[in-house]
Amino acid sequence: MGRTSQAVIIILYVFMTVKAFEMEITPANRIVAQIGETLTLTCNTTGCASPSFSWRIQTDNPLGGTVSNHGTYSTLTMSPVSTENSHNYLCTSFCGLVKKEKSVKIELYSFPSDPVIEISIVAGEQATIICKIHDVYPSDRLEVLLKKEEHILLEKNFFEDDSTNTETKTVTYSFNLTTEDIGKEITCVAKLPIANMDFEPKERVTSQKLNANFGPKNTIITASPDNSAMEGDSLELTCMTESNPPPQIVWRKQVTDKSIQYLVENNVLSIPHAHFTDSGRYICEVINLVTNKTEAATVDIVIQGAPDIAEFSIKPSATVREGENISIQCSAESNPPPKIVLRRKSDSADVGLYSEGGILLLPSVTFLSGGDYECIAENKFGKSRSAIALNVEYGPKNTIISVIPAATVKEGETVTMKCTSSGNPTPVISWKKKKATGESEKIFTDATLTIKNIKSQDLGLYECEAYNQFGKEEKAVKLLVQAPPKNTTLLVFPSNVVKQGESVAISCTSTGVPAVQITLRKKVGDVITTLETEGGKYTIDRVQLKDTGTYECVSVNELGEESQYIVLDVKVPPQNITVLVHPSENVKEGENVTITCSTYSNPPSQMVLKKVHPEKEIILSSVNGTFILYNVTKNDTGRYLLDVFNEVGNNVKVIEIAVVGRVEKTDQLMPVIIAFSCVTAIAIPVVALLIYVSRQAKINGSYSLVKALRLNV
């Protein structure tokens, strides 16, 4: 590419850059700023990505600020603004080869605060007024006007002032003070009129009252409604004086040789509800802090009325232990002085402890000394009462147990036992029940013990224990539970099955409240025999078969009865055996021989008939004790052994049978009764015994005739 072409391109680039690149300064044109504030100038560009900036003053003085570049814009910050910043500022920006410049002018002023007025009075006559305007710029434009009310005292300007910095300007005016001048308003008006400068305010005003300092003098105190007031009334004490400026007022009250100080914000001391203690001498002290003078006034106040009890106490304490010594003291205030009465409160006046001296001594107090005491203070205006409680602490006393409905109740009922006890602090109640071992077992912790659906095992001794930290007290009540007979037991020793001749003890026991009556009876069939017992015990030294039967124990009280049964079974070996041989022991061939055996025993005996033979043994058995030999022959002649036995013992009877030749005519022979005595003798007749035995359902000692079988072994 030729040089001509390159020049054309450069010219086109510069032209396009110049057309797009722009710059401006904000704030623009003329800037009015107050000295001491912060001012920031911003130079902002458009159409250029990376411009460069520079700031300067056209007079080449220092900038008096801080420059900060931020990409497409740059700032110049002046903080604070000073008189050095009153110039034209120029911002130059380059975008490549293109340059842009703009300037702005900063004009300054300072008028930051209102005028300050100072007034001084010398010897109460000459008054000097000073008005100060702080940090003014430019001071040559300042105008000051001094007025008293609407009257102009002084006008002043500072046109000839050539100061280049902020200054404090002062205007002074003096005149002779008169009484009419007190309280009038002094006004200082300061103006800073600068043409073509837009700022506010351009005028500042300050006013102040004109006061003359004097006093205090002619100080007095007035009391409203009067120096003598009734208790409870409102009382105001007003302290009046002549002083300027208003004085500081301190109120004091003189009490004997000391004073009480009150600080109030004004000259009135208010007592909204006057009390006797408010009586006394009051002092109003007035202090003028400017003139440094002090004056005082006094007034005597008397408060009258009904007595007011100031103190009512128990020494050493309102809570004491039984046995301690105490004093009850009461004091009251009133005008006139009161009469004081101390006494124990009661339904009737003047009952019990009483004192008119304001003190009541109680040596070695008891629990009966506890209660409310009152102090009565009285004068002509009325009376006042106050009460105090004496709390005497003591261990449990007067412990009582009440039982509802009674200490004797029936099974299934509900019984409530309530334990009450006096003591201070209130005793803690607990219940214990004495066990069979004699030890007591804690069962309940409360004043009321309720047992529902009471049972026999609930009877016994119940103890109530009342306890506090000063001791304990116990009371007991015996609880009886009525119940019909129960747990009835009928026992036989050694057993209800015994052998004849042994010793037997039959014992019957039962429980019940009221005490049960025990009866032991023996039942044999329909015959009932009441047995004589000793403590429910019946003994048979040598038991017999006649003692067999059903024994019944009957336990009875007024609430019911209960019975128990037991069967006594006396085991007896075979006795009183009777053997009948029909027709006889001597018979002829062809006849039948019937052998019948009867006996009594328990249990029933078994019977076996044996024929003694050297070669073979013939055994006949029978169910009911009857043996029949059919068509006897001579071979049936011989000795027969009848064995009668049971589990207790046996008895053997010998029968001799003789069989002879057959005869034409058979004689009818009477049965021969062969009676044998048993080993053990029985005194009961055999017939009666057989009748008894026949009535026993399970005894098989009676036999009927059946066919016997002959067995060959």
Side-chain angles (χ1 to χ4, degrees):
M1 182 181 297
R3 291 184 178 179
T4 303
S5 297
Q6 291 179 351
V8 171
I9 291 173
I10 292 172
I11 292 170
L12 289 175
Y13 171 77
V14 171
F15 175 77
M16 293 176 65
T17 300
V18 171
K19 186 175 182 180
F21 179 50
E22 297 294 338
M23 183 191 74
E24 64 177 355
I25 294 179
T26 57
N29 304 323
R30 186 163 169 263
I31 298 173
V32 177
Q34 179 158 261
I35 296 173
E37 294 181 349
T38 297
L39 176 63
T40 300
L41 302 180
T42 302
C43 188
N44 191 31
T45 65
T46 58
C48 184
S50 300
S52 61
F53 298 94
S54 65
W55 292 85
R56 63 186 177 85
I57 297 174
Q58 291 179 343
T59 57
D60 294 330
N61 288 336
L63 286 175
T66 302
V67 175
S68 180
N69 295 323
H70 306 277
T72 61
Y73 71 94
S74 176
T75 60
L76 172 61
T77 301
M78 292 158 272
S79 180
V81 174
S82 67
T83 54
E84 297 177 356
N85 300 119
S86 182
H87 298 287
N88 285 323
Y89 283 83
L90 181 66
C91 175
T92 303
S93 177
F94 288 91
C95 182
L97 300 177
V98 180
K99 173 182 176 184
K100 295 284 185 177
E101 283 187 335
K102 285 199 175 181
S103 66
V104 64
K105 182 178 181 181
I106 297 178
E107 297 183 81
L108 303 178
Y109 77 97
S110 178
F111 199 33
S113 59
D114 293 339
V116 177
I117 297 176
E118 297 177 359
I119 301 175
S120 63
I121 299 174
V122 180
E125 295 180 357
Q126 183 74 31
T128 300
I129 300 172
I130 300 173
C131 180
K132 295 181 178 180
I133 301 91
H134 293 278
D135 300 325
V136 178
Y137 180 85
S139 57
D140 59 349
R141 303 293 182 90
L142 181 62
E143 298 176 3
V144 179
L145 177 66
L146 201 59
K147 298 189 301 180
K148 180 173 67 175
E149 295 293 339
E150 297 302 322
H151 175 66
I152 297 176
L153 299 179
L154 177 67
E155 288 185 83
K156 185 175 181 180
N157 57 56
F158 299 86
F159 295 152
E160 298 179 357
D161 195 347
D162 56 357
S163 176
T164 58
N165 290 310
T166 59
E167 289 188 352
T168 297
K169 298 301 180 179
T170 302
V171 175
T172 302
Y173 181 79
S174 298
F175 61 96
N176 292 325
L177 188 66
T178 64
T179 305
E180 291 77 13
D181 292 329
I182 301 301
K184 289 187 176 181
E185 192 171 68
I186 301 298
T187 303
C188 180
V189 180
K191 298 180 181 180
L192 192 64
I194 304 176
N196 300 322
M197 287 186 66
D198 187 15
F199 67 90
E200 292 292 339
K202 293 187 177 182
E203 179 179 304
R204 292 183 177 273
V205 180
T206 299
S207 297
Q208 183 175 318
K209 295 287 186 180
L210 183 62
N211 291 318
N213 301 323
F214 60 87
K217 58 184 179 179
N218 303 323
T219 304
I220 61 171
I221 299 175
T222 60
S224 176
D226 198 352
N227 291 25
S228 180
M230 293 298 294
E231 188 188 31
D233 289 349
S234 177
L235 179 65
E236 282 192 354
L237 303 182
T238 303
C239 183
M240 295 181 295
T241 187
E242 297 177 13
S243 176
N244 190 46
Q248 174 183 314
I249 296 178
V250 177
W251 286 94
R252 289 188 174 86
K253 178 185 174 185
Q254 191 72 35
V255 181
T256 60
D257 57 347
K258 63 180 181 179
S259 64
I260 301 174
Q261 180 170 308
Y262 301 90
L263 295 178
V264 294
E265 295 181 356
N266 52 47
N267 63 326
V268 178
L269 176 62
S270 294
I271 304 174
H273 300 285
H275 190 267
F276 300 116
T277 55
D278 295 321
S279 297
R281 173 166 291 181
Y282 287 80
I283 303 168
C284 169
E285 188 176 87
V286 184
I287 306 170
N288 189 323
L289 299 178
V290 176
T291 63
N292 200 26
K293 291 183 179 180
T294 301
E295 191 172 70
T298 63
V299 64
D300 292 324
I301 299 298
V302 176
I303 307 298
Q304 293 183 320
D308 185 18
I309 295 175
E311 180 185 7
F312 190 18
S313 62
I314 299 176
K315 305 293 185 181
S317 171
T319 298
V320 294
R321 289 191 61 179
E322 198 172 34
E324 292 187 18
N325 301 327
I326 68 163
S327 65
I328 303 176
Q329 301 176 11
C330 180
S331 62
E333 298 174 343
S334 69
N335 187 17
K339 174 187 175 182
I340 297 177
V341 173
L342 263 174
R343 69 184 182 189
R344 173 82 173 270
K345 290 188 72 171
S346 174
D347 294 336
S348 302
D350 301 329
V351 173
L353 301 170
Y354 182 88
S355 171
E356 292 188 359
I359 183 168
L360 180 62
L361 299 176
L362 299 179
S364 189
V365 294
T366 68
F367 73 97
L368 297 174
S369 305
D372 292 333
Y373 290 78
E374 69 175 349
C375 172
I376 303 173
E378 184 176 7
N379 68 7
K380 67 179 182 179
F381 292 107
K383 66 172 61 177
S384 179
R385 295 174 181 267
S386 182
I388 193 170
L390 173 61
N391 184 29
V392 179
E393 295 180 326
Y394 58 96
K397 296 177 184 288
N398 305 323
T399 304
I400 299 174
I401 298 176
S402 59
V403 184
I404 300 174
T408 300
V409 293
K410 295 179 181 179
E411 246 188 352
E413 292 183 340
T414 296
V415 64
T416 298
M417 294 180 283
K418 186 175 182 179
C419 181
T420 58
S421 181
S422 63
N424 190 17
T426 302
V428 176
I429 305 295
S430 63
W431 287 91
K432 296 184 291 185
K433 183 181 180 185
K434 185 153 288 188
K435 298 192 293 187
T437 59
E439 298 179 352
S440 294
E441 178 185 12
K442 191 171 183 179
I443 60 172
F444 195 64
T445 303
D446 201 353
T448 302
L449 173 60
T450 299
I451 305 175
K452 296 181 179 179
N453 192 21
I454 197 165
K455 297 179 176 56
S456 298
Q457 56 263 36
D458 293 321
L459 65 80
L461 189 67
Y462 288 81
E463 297 174 336
C464 159
E465 180 184 89
Y467 171 84
N468 65 16
Q469 63 261 44
F470 301 110
K472 69 177 180 178
E473 188 175 61
E474 294 181 339
K475 292 292 179 181
V477 63
K478 188 173 183 180
L479 184 63
L480 296 177
V481 180
Q482 291 184 332
K486 59 173 59 177
N487 302 324
T488 303
T489 304
L490 185 58
L491 299 175
V492 179
F493 182 82
S495 171
N496 67 321
V497 178
V498 294
K499 293 180 180 180
Q500 181 177 262
E502 292 182 343
S503 177
V504 173
I506 302 175
S507 176
C508 180
T509 59
S510 183
T511 60
V513 178
V516 298
Q517 181 179 352
I518 295 176
T519 302
L520 185 63
R521 300 186 297 192
K522 177 184 175 185
K523 297 176 68 176
V524 178
D526 297 330
V527 179
I528 299 176
T529 304
T530 300
L531 305 176
E532 293 184 3
T533 63
E534 183 175 347
K537 185 176 182 182
Y538 179 72
T539 302
I540 305 173
D541 293 330
R542 295 179 61 82
V543 70
Q544 302 295 325
L545 183 60
K546 65 178 181 178
D547 298 316
T548 296
T550 300
Y551 288 79
E552 178 186 20
C553 173
V554 181
S555 177
V556 180
N557 68 7
E558 63 187 47
L559 301 179
E561 70 174 60
E562 188 179 54
S563 300
Q564 289 291 330
Y565 301 87
I566 195 168
V567 175
L568 178 62
D569 189 8
V570 180
K571 302 293 185 180
V572 180
Q575 296 182 4
N576 298 337
I577 300 173
T578 301
V579 179
L580 299 177
V581 180
H582 180 80
S584 169
E585 291 181 324
N586 298 310
V587 294
K588 294 181 179 181
E589 284 183 317
E591 292 182 335
N592 295 333
V593 177
T594 300
I595 302 172
T596 302
C597 179
S598 64
T599 183
Y600 79 87
S601 66
N602 187 32
S605 299
Q606 298 182 37
M607 300 179 186
V608 176
L609 183 64
K610 301 177 183 180
K611 181 181 179 182
V612 179
H613 192 276
E615 297 179 0
K616 64 178 181 179
E617 189 177 57
I618 298 173
I619 299 176
L620 298 177
S621 61
S622 171
V623 176
N624 293 318
T626 300
F627 304 89
I628 301 176
L629 303 179
Y630 295 95
N631 297 318
V632 296
T633 66
K634 291 182 179 180
N635 293 333
D636 294 320
T637 299
R639 176 174 290 178
Y640 289 83
L641 300 179
L642 180 58
D643 188 3
V644 182
F645 62 92
N646 65 10
E647 65 185 52
V648 184
N650 74 311
N651 204 331
V652 179
K653 303 301 178 183
V654 179
I655 304 172
E656 295 286 346
I657 303 293
V659 181
V660 297
R662 184 184 298 272
V663 294
E664 294 290 329
K665 185 177 182 179
T666 305
D667 296 330
Q668 299 294 324
L669 297 177
M670 295 297 292
V672 178
I673 300 176
I674 303 175
F676 297 89
S677 299
C678 296
V679 177
T680 303
I682 303 299
I684 303 174
V686 173
V687 175
L689 182 61
L690 290 176
I691 293 173
Y692 164 74
V693 173
S694 69
R695 292 177 177 174
Q696 307 303 309
K698 296 184 179 180
I699 299 177
N700 297 320
S702 176
Y703 303 91
S704 62
L705 295 177
V706 298
K707 184 177 180 180
L709 300 176
R710 175 177 295 176
L711 301 177
N712 293 325
V713 179

